[in-house]
Amino acid sequence: SQQGEEDPQALSIQEGENATMNCSYKTSINNLQWYRQNSGRGLVHLILIRSNEREKHSGRLRVTLDTSKKSSSLLITASRAADTASYFCATQLTGGGNKLTFGTGTQLKVEL
Amino acid sequence: DAEITQSPRHKITETGRQVTLACHQTWNHNNMFWYRQDLGHGLRLIHYSYGVQDTNKGEVSDGYSVSRSNTEDLPLTLESAASSQTSVYFCASSGSLNSPLHFGNGTRLTVT
């Protein structure tokens, strides 16, 4: 079964709007990471939040982590057409070494 | 600039043939990973290595093998290709714990 589950599976918004994606996981983690994947390309790291952190910002990205609920959210503010991509959360499990377990992803489409 | 490269980008092979996918990184990372990506499953871990001569099985390792003879390379071998192994394969590398993964651009493998 998947460690990470993203919600929604697909999201379509207008340029300038905010996009929020959620991720839930099942077991204790060292950190949670978000990645973006453009069509036909590899994944690109966006942001990493450690288990003892609650919120992190990077440019137009804001990530929150609630370890009591085993959930995280990624907010993209003032979205642009170039933000159209798939977004994945990934967890590094406590005691699991450096490997990551990925969710199934959210497909974001930003329309002009 | 450091990078991670995969070859070939596309491969078509027949059922039963042995296939090797190459992965080469110039980050000097100890940790390397192979994932496969299929619709509805996200990315699933096949094998991983934490250093030279170290290899470990991931979630979906049956029918695959890897070897790590140097820091830069982690080739993935399909011993006897099956149609169920038609997928997009991604190689990734990372440094220390709590560091992100750097991904290659993937190899699309079709087994006919």
Side-chain angles (χ1 to χ4, degrees):
Chain A
S1 62
Q2 293 291 134
Q3 160 73 347
E5 297 283 350
E6 284 95 337
D7 170 56
Q9 289 187 325
L11 179 61
S12 183
I13 59 174
Q14 298 293 314
E15 198 171 49
E17 294 180 337
N18 296 341
T20 299
M21 289 160 263
N22 302 296
C23 170
S24 60
Y25 59 92
K26 296 178 181 177
T27 58
S28 178
I29 61 173
N30 286 332
N31 65 64
L32 186 144
Q33 304 179 29
W34 286 90
Y35 288 81
R36 182 184 74 204
Q37 184 181 34
N38 291 90
S39 181
R41 307 284 291 181
L43 280 73
V44 174
H45 177 258
L46 294 176
I47 199 163
L48 181 154
I49 186 165
R50 300 189 184 205
S51 60
N52 61 353
E53 297 176 313
R54 292 296 166 258
E55 188 170 313
K56 209 160 182 183
H57 296 256
S58 177
R60 293 183 295 112
L61 305 181
R62 172 179 170 255
V63 168
T64 61
L65 178 64
D66 186 335
T67 53
S68 66
K69 294 181 180 178
K70 292 186 170 57
S71 67
S72 173
S73 66
L74 170 67
L75 169 67
I76 304 174
T77 60
S79 63
R80 306 166 182 168
D83 294 328
T84 294
S86 293
Y87 292 81
F88 294 87
C89 70
T91 50
Q92 189 180 80
L93 305 184
T94 302
N98 289 38
K99 61 185 185 292
L100 296 182
T101 303
F102 284 82
T104 52
T106 293
Q107 286 189 314
L108 173 66
K109 184 174 182 180
V110 182
E111 300 184 88
L112 294 170
Chain B
D1 287 350
E3 61 180 0
I4 179 165
T5 55
Q6 294 184 234
S7 61
R9 286 300 311 275
H10 303 272
K11 175 79 176 177
I12 300 174
T13 191
E14 295 177 343
T15 301
R17 289 192 179 267
Q18 184 181 77
V19 177
T20 296
L21 309 183
C23 175
H24 179 82
Q25 53 100 1
T26 57
W27 291 95
N28 198 33
H29 285 159
N30 284 325
N31 310 313
M32 296 185 74
F33 310 87
W34 274 104
Y35 288 88
R36 61 177 287 175
Q37 185 175 32
D38 304 286
L39 279 174
H41 289 279
L43 279 82
R44 291 181 291 174
L45 184 63
I46 306 171
H47 280 286
Y48 60 101
S49 169
Y50 287 155
V52 176
Q53 304 300 330
D54 175 73
T55 61
N56 305 279
K57 294 180 179 180
E59 178 188 0
V60 290
S61 61
D62 286 350
Y64 303 94
S65 63
V66 294
S67 61
R68 188 86 180 271
S69 59
N70 59 52
T71 300
E72 296 80 17
D73 299 289
L74 187 70
L76 177 71
T77 297
L78 286 70
E79 304 294 343
S80 177
S83 58
S84 60
Q85 294 176 310
T86 292
S87 187
V88 181
Y89 291 85
F90 288 99
C91 181
S93 71
S94 73
S96 58
L97 196 68
N98 282 313
S99 60
L101 266 60
H102 299 264
F103 280 84
N105 281 322
T107 293
R108 183 176 294 276
L109 177 69
T110 302
V111 182
T112 61

